[in-house]
């Protein structure tokens, strides 16, 4: 994998205002909200579409959890009117390219993309080309025959991730990455 100085990651999206003093709800898009939304942290702000945002950066002035929702005060949003105009902004952070999450069982997407996928016996299955996020994280693996296989990123199916070694181990079975035997017969 190439060494990169820093990686741009989306860590949240501003939701509706909360109260009158500029506090906003944030849809968290990071596994480390306490780290990414620490007081004094400056985040890049970007509107996903439409006119540019009035702010290019926002500085975290305070956070608190209200039930399961992160509430954030930004220095640049002094009141409800400003908070309302920030609604929908994506919040970006620069993460050093060599940084890893604090939890050794978690990985940044850029650490996984480009790794070789191997089966339990060490045979190459292809290369991780993307990490898809939804109800469950999924590794997209491009096979040597140019198919894109989707593997749920769970310990039962991906028992080992060796970033330093440049590989992930997949507990492959027919139909997961390798085709079903009858699918191979159809191609002949």
């Amino acid at each position: 994998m190439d060494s990169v100085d820093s990686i741009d990651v989306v860590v949240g999206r501003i939701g509706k205002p909360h109260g009158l003093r500029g506090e906003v709800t944030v849809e968290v898009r990071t596994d480390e909200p306490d780290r990414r939304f620490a007081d004094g942290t400056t985040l890049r702000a970007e509107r996903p579409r439409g006119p540019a945002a009035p702010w290019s950066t926002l500085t975290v002035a305070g956070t608190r959890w209200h039930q399961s929702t992160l509430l954030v005060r930004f220095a640049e949003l002094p009141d409800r009117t400003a908070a309302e105009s920030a609604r929908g902004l994506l919040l970006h952070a620069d993460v050093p390219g060599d940084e890893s999450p604090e939890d050794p069982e978690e990985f940044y997407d850029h650490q996984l993309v480009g790794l070789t996928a191997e089966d339990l016996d060490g045979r190459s299955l292809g290369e991780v080309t993307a990490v898809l996020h939804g109800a469950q994280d999924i590794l997209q693996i491009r096979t040597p025959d140019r198919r894109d296989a989707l593997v749920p990123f769970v310990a039962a199916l991906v028992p080992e991730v060796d970033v330093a070694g440049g590989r992930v181990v997949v507990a492959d079975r027919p139909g997961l990455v390798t085709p079903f035997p009858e699918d191979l017969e159809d191609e002949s």
Side-chain angles (χ1 to χ4, degrees):
M1 287 187 0
D2 296 335
S3 174
V4 178
D5 291 338
S6 67
I7 303 293
D8 174 63
V9 295
V10 175
V11 295
R13 186 180 68 77
I14 294 179
K16 63 184 180 180
H18 184 83
L20 301 174
R21 295 194 173 104
E23 200 170 43
V24 293
T25 61
V26 171
E27 175 190 317
V28 176
R29 296 190 182 174
T30 174
D31 291 334
E32 301 173 304
D34 296 335
R35 188 175 182 186
R36 300 294 167 218
F37 293 95
D39 287 3
T41 300
T42 299
L43 300 169
R44 270 189 329 290
E46 169 186 84
R47 197 167 306 283
R49 58 188 164 280
W55 312 273
S56 58
T57 61
L58 293 171
T59 306
V60 177
T63 60
R64 66 186 176 100
W65 289 94
H66 177 66
Q67 298 167 354
S68 61
T69 303
L70 180 63
L71 300 177
V72 180
R73 278 185 307 106
F74 291 102
E76 297 81 0
L77 307 179
D79 55 34
R80 186 175 183 91
T81 302
E84 184 61 48
S85 64
R87 193 175 196 162
L89 292 179
L90 293 178
L91 301 170
H92 297 255
D94 282 326
V95 176
D98 59 354
E99 181 178 298
S100 293
E102 291 176 352
D103 183 340
E105 296 297 312
E106 293 179 4
F107 306 93
Y108 295 131
D109 293 0
H110 72 270
Q111 292 176 300
L112 300 171
V113 172
L115 297 181
T116 298
E118 298 178 351
D119 69 10
L120 296 170
D121 296 323
R123 289 185 296 263
S124 177
L125 297 170
E127 179 180 313
V128 177
T129 56
V131 181
L132 309 174
H133 301 283
Q136 178 175 359
D137 292 338
I138 295 177
L139 298 180
Q140 179 177 296
I141 298 172
R142 174 64 52 98
T143 64
D145 62 353
R146 311 298 292 160
R147 288 180 302 106
D148 287 323
L150 302 178
V151 177
F153 192 30
V154 295
L157 295 174
V158 185
E160 184 180 349
V161 177
D162 179 6
V163 173
R167 68 189 191 100
V168 295
V169 176
V170 176
D172 192 29
R173 48 194 60 131
L176 186 58
V177 178
T178 56
F180 287 109
E182 57 269 19
D183 291 341
L184 291 173
E185 293 169 6
D186 291 344
E187 292 176 7
S188 2

